[in-house]
Amino acid sequence: MNDNLFQLLNRMAGHYDWIDDFMEFCAQDIVLIMIAVIACLWLTGKESFQKSAFFACLTAAVSLLIGSLIISPAVDHPRPFVAHQVTQLIAHAPDASFPSDHATFAFSLAFAIWFTNRRLGVALLALSVLTGIARVYVGVHYPADIAGAIVLSFVVGFLVHKLSGILNFLPMIPIRIYRKIADKLTFLPRAQ
């Protein structure tokens, strides 16, 4: 099923330049939009938004560490272009593919925000889904790599959200630093 789903999506690649260009953007650069959203949350100066941004970054960091240091070496699944003849639209190292780092990063940010702000979280989840589909379309991941990233991101996001009350002191350190800087630089929003 994993191979069949991969072939279904990847078979569409290489036929229309504008679709390929869009999918390449989604596969590589859509995460930059998500980073910008997290940065905007932080720069509002509103403590609750800053905490959400902090915990989103923490969720992404923990998810990526677990994925790349524990799961990926244990599973050691080859990328589609290593195991099959594929239409590969972006260059990538032939390292282990499970779980997808891009999808893990995107879904970690999205789920972390979704737990505190449903509307913004849904928008970020939509961007994450585009990222995941595009990673398969461009030939660098299997659908199972994306599914693994979703599960990992959700579990870590849920645990971080549940522990955020205990971990509440962590975001206060950078928030205090931000407030000191904002007091000196008039163009930064003040704490709210």
Side-chain angles (χ1 to χ4, degrees):
M1 187 169 99
N2 194 31
D3 286 339
N4 290 341
L5 283 173
F6 171 79
Q7 294 297 337
L8 180 70
L9 279 173
N10 185 249
R11 197 176 303 133
M12 293 187 275
H15 297 290
Y16 299 100
D17 284 342
W18 68 274
I19 295 175
D20 291 349
D21 291 343
F22 175 71
M23 290 306 231
E24 288 171 26
F25 170 79
C26 290
Q28 299 178 106
D29 300 325
I30 213 163
V31 293
L32 299 176
I33 295 170
M34 299 177 76
I35 291 168
V37 169
I38 300 302
C40 287
L41 284 175
W42 181 265
L43 291 173
T44 62
K46 187 173 180 182
E47 187 175 299
S48 63
F49 287 174
Q50 289 180 316
K51 285 181 180 179
S52 291
F54 177 89
F55 285 121
C57 292
L58 179 64
T59 298
V62 171
S63 297
L64 285 169
L65 284 172
I66 292 171
S68 63
L69 297 180
I70 299 170
I71 298 173
S72 190
V75 175
D76 196 28
H77 194 268
R79 290 190 181 270
F81 60 84
V82 172
H84 306 286
Q85 184 69 28
V86 305
T87 303
Q88 185 180 348
L89 299 180
I90 61 174
H92 204 289
D95 55 354
S97 70
F98 184 89
S100 164
D101 288 342
H102 267 80
T104 298
F105 182 73
F107 279 100
S108 292
L109 294 178
F111 281 128
I113 296 300
W114 182 77
F115 283 119
T116 59
N117 182 331
R118 296 295 164 135
R119 186 173 295 174
L120 181 57
V122 166
L124 293 177
L125 282 169
L127 293 177
S128 301
V129 168
L130 276 175
T131 299
I133 291 170
R135 299 295 289 176
V136 176
Y137 180 96
V138 300
V140 295
H141 280 291
Y142 289 104
D145 301 336
I146 308 306
I150 292 169
V151 171
L152 173 62
S153 301
F154 180 81
V155 169
V156 173
F158 178 78
L159 291 173
V160 168
H161 176 68
K162 287 297 179 188
L163 294 172
S164 63
I166 298 169
L167 301 174
N168 198 39
F169 68 94
L170 288 175
M172 292 312 298
I173 298 166
I175 288 172
R176 284 190 199 105
I177 293 169
Y178 173 86
R179 288 176 180 169
K180 287 182 181 179
I181 294 169
D183 287 342
K184 298 205 183 325
L185 303 174
T186 57
F187 61 88
L188 286 175
R190 299 285 192 269
Q192 298 175 11

